[in-house]
Amino acid sequence: MGSLRVAIDIGGTFTDVCALDEVSGRMHVAKTPTTPDPIDGFMTGLSEAGVQLRDIALLSHGTTVATNALITRRLPRVAMICTRGFRDVIEIRRANKEDLWDAYKDVARPYIPRRDRLPISERIDAAGVVVTKLDQAEALELARILRKRQVAAVAVCFMNAFMNGAHERAMRDILLRELPGVPISISSEVLPEIFEHERFSTTVVNAVLSPVAGAYVERLSDRLRAGGYASDLLLLHSGGGVMTPSSVRDFAARIAGSGIAAGAIASRHIAGLCGFANSIGLDMGGTSCDVSLAYEGQSRVTKDWGIEFGYPIRFPSIEVLTIGAGGGSLARIEDGALKNGPQSAGAHPGPACYGGGNTVPTNTDANIVLGRLGTGLAGGSIKLDAKLAEQAVRTGVADQLGVSVHQAAEAVIRVANANMADAVRLISISRGYDPRDFALVAFGGAGALHGAALARELSIPVVIVPTNPGITSALGCLLVDLQHDFAESYLKPAEATDPADLQHRFATLEATAAERLLHEGVATTDMVMQRSVDMMYQGQWRSLSVTVPPQISTMEALVASFHQQHEREYNFRRDDAPVSLFRLNLKATGLVPKVALATSEPGGAMPQPASRRPVYFDNATPHDTPVYWRPDLPAGAEIDGPAIIDQLDATTVLPPGASMTVDRFGNLVMRVGS
């Protein structure tokens, strides 16, 4: 067994590799283009990082394979078997629309067409009592039809199966016998919760992704074993943990949000290293910007998410808000107003300064005009044409608004920052959190360019720029544990709930969780069980999750916690209103040994600037600004703005009036002032 822990995050444009030596704590990174077959880019990234598979002790992987499959609809033929009369639940949805006022915009079609949604005679009532038994002959006939259609997977979704899953299990047994090798997803195991649309939708997504994710994981595992890797491949899932390949085959929908979770995990960890339990992650790349929030060391988790509107995936997911704001976001004048994004120049043709033929200005072009970004990326391997950038900004914005090219470029950046500030407000202020109590972790290829200005707009006092901003998401894959989430519907008023009954039900969930973790090789001493219960005021249907202690003696403490959390979330509480329980939740974690990142003791001579250049900061007069090469900055180095810090994968802007310190982990910690 080797001493390297390796994380690989495959995005739409680049594949990022982060290799951490368990002995020295030193990190090696690599960035390579994502290939049509992601596995080829995966192996190329390992090679470029100088990593041999036999030297890897643990390999974690974040992937967009499942996400892209849903977006592009490159899915195998999958069938759904449902209770007669409920064939169209996933098409009726909630009868709502993404854009309320657009009468012509339709919701995307269901993942399983109507011809492959087959009804069967069975019925269980809302109390879990069998009303109509499952028709065995009809079940066998449906299995024959599906075998003839050569479906790749089947979703079984029966009404009220969340109360009694006996009929679904019986249907699965028949299908497994008649369709050997075909994965079967049943709603009573995938998501045992009330609300049929959400339960059916999650089960359908799980079914359509099972063949896709299963085949991908199997091919990748075979390549890794052939190269000498002996341990399990761990795949990041939306909830902020990792899964083994066997779990991915059963719960494939969990990796639909794999790609965006890694950055949120890494930003939370880096903020913790710098002494901040409250942090906001800003992952700004070339096309989009992902915003996440951690409070008291814990990321916000949501169950209200999905890849496409109308088709929810109700597995717990780290809450990440994504907007179209990146280095390649296009700026243009519409109806006399300056707009920025969400359209992007992408990697091809890219910003105007790339010389690929695009003439519409982007955020990257504006930053070049302002001098904040130099004329080279990736250590100079990518040359940027400042004249093309200036021409695009002048033609696309300055001439139309009647302002100078520098004023136009500043306006482009201000609009981009305003868009990102709105996203931060949505995930913080609208959730009851004050941004002034948080540190901003700015990463991605463009996050450090905008971090200080964005923090000032939101009155955030501190900005943290990680050591390698461009591969921070890959680092997040190294910082997670094995994690599974279990849930059980529990519809009762709090005053009628017996604490002993809750204790028994949680113990049952914990036994199931422990069995799964033991199957994945986790020792009992490395298991952590975290209980919570979803509660609501009677008459509501939206609930809040309240932490449950290991021993439940009375219900009063849980009800008091609910009132307190409701006040923080919605700014009011009703202590005299009755409270109901909605669902029991269990997060089961199998701890993976963590490796400490390498540190450096403060000291060393402050280097001279690598160069100087004029940079514009919020006014018409440029500042003569020093440019430092980040690898030359020692731990403990202190710099007063204005300054530019260049490195291989990012550029950091330190504006006038701000100061910066390099901490012992190599992070840049900026105090930006008001």
Side-chain angles (χ1 to χ4, degrees), residues 508-524:
T508 303
L509 289 175
E510 288 171 353
T512 303
E515 183 179 351
R516 186 179 297 180
L517 290 173
L518 282 171
H519 179 70
E520 294 176 333
V522 179
T524 305

Side-chain angles (χ1 to χ4, degrees), residues 97 108 129 142 155 168 206 215 236 284 314 346 377 390 407 453 473 504 507 562 584 592 599:
K97 303 187 69 173
V129 178
L142 291 183
E168 287 193 344
N206 198 72
L236 186 72
M284 185 179 181
R314 290 279 293 176
L377 293 178
E390 182 175 338
Q407 289 175 317
S473 291
H504 172 71
F562 167 75
L584 310 183
V592 174
T599 61

Side-chain angles (χ1 to χ4, degrees), residues 4 13 59 63 66 70 129 147 223 246 269 302 481 517 669:
L4 292 179
T13 306
L59 181 57
T63 177
L70 293 176
V129 178
R147 184 171 60 247
R223 291 276 295 270
S246 59
H269 180 78
T302 181
D481 299 301
L517 290 173
V669 182

Side-chain angles (χ1 to χ4, degrees), residues 543-554:
S543 59
L544 291 174
S545 184
V546 177
T547 301
V548 176
Q551 294 297 324
I552 310 168
S553 55
T554 65

Side-chain angles (χ1 to χ4, degrees), residues 358-408:
N358 172 45
T359 59
V360 181
T362 65
N363 292 329
T364 298
D365 298 312
N367 275 312
I368 288 178
V369 170
L370 295 172
R372 302 176 188 179
L373 190 63
T375 55
L377 293 178
S381 60
I382 300 176
K383 299 297 183 183
L384 305 180
D385 193 322
K387 291 184 178 180
L388 290 178
E390 182 175 338
Q391 181 180 345
V393 173
R394 185 184 303 279
T395 304
V397 178
D399 290 348
Q400 297 188 54
L401 295 181
V403 297
S404 71
V405 68
H406 294 107
Q407 289 175 317

Side-chain angles (χ1 to χ4, degrees), residues 6-11 14-18 27 29-31 60-64 236 258-267 270 281-285 290 292 320 441-445 466 468-480 649:
V6 178
I8 298 183
D9 182 50
I10 298 181
F14 288 105
T15 295
D16 299 332
V17 181
C18 179
M27 190 159 52
V29 300
K31 203 175 189 75
S60 300
H61 177 31
T63 177
T64 56
L236 186 72
S258 172
I260 61 176
I265 295 164
S267 65
I270 290 166
L282 180 80
D283 182 2
M284 185 179 181
D290 298 328
S292 59
V320 178
V441 183
F443 59 102
N468 298 103
I471 57 91
T472 298
S473 291
L475 174 63
C477 297
L478 282 181
L479 304 171
V480 293
D649 56 346

Side-chain angles (χ1 to χ4, degrees), residues 205-391:
V205 171
N206 198 72
V208 299
L209 289 180
S210 288
V212 176
Y216 172 77
V217 168
E218 185 174 352
R219 289 195 303 116
L220 179 55
S221 297
D222 289 344
R223 291 276 295 270
L224 294 174
R225 279 194 298 269
Y229 179 61
S231 298
D232 257 337
L233 171 68
L234 301 180
L235 291 105
L236 186 72
H237 63 67
S238 61
V242 286
M243 307 167 64
T244 59
S246 59
S247 295
V248 170
R249 295 185 186 96
D250 294 330
F251 298 97
R254 295 225 61 181
I255 67 169
S258 172
I260 61 176
I265 295 164
S267 65
R268 179 189 68 199
H269 180 78
I270 290 166
L273 293 178
C274 296
F276 297 95
N278 299 342
S279 62
I280 295 172
L282 180 80
D283 182 2
M284 185 179 181
T287 302
S288 63
C289 178
D290 298 328
V291 182
S292 59
L293 182 143
Y295 179 69
E296 294 183 350
Q298 298 295 319
S299 297
R300 275 189 60 90
V301 174
T302 181
K303 285 191 172 183
D304 296 322
W305 69 287
I307 302 303
E308 291 183 292
F309 179 82
Y311 303 105
I313 303 172
R314 290 279 293 176
F315 286 131
S317 173
I318 291 179
E319 186 176 28
V320 178
L321 184 62
T322 301
I323 64 169
S329 294
L330 299 172
R332 71 274 181 203
I333 304 298
E334 288 185 5
D335 300 324
L338 176 60
K339 302 292 181 67
N340 192 311
Q343 298 85 358
S344 173
H348 303 285
C353 58
Y354 280 21
N358 172 45
T359 59
V360 181
T362 65
N363 292 329
T364 298
D365 298 312
N367 275 312
I368 288 178
V369 170
L370 295 172
R372 302 176 188 179
L373 190 63
T375 55
L377 293 178
S381 60
I382 300 176
K383 299 297 183 183
L384 305 180
D385 193 322
K387 291 184 178 180
L388 290 178
E390 182 175 338
Q391 181 180 345

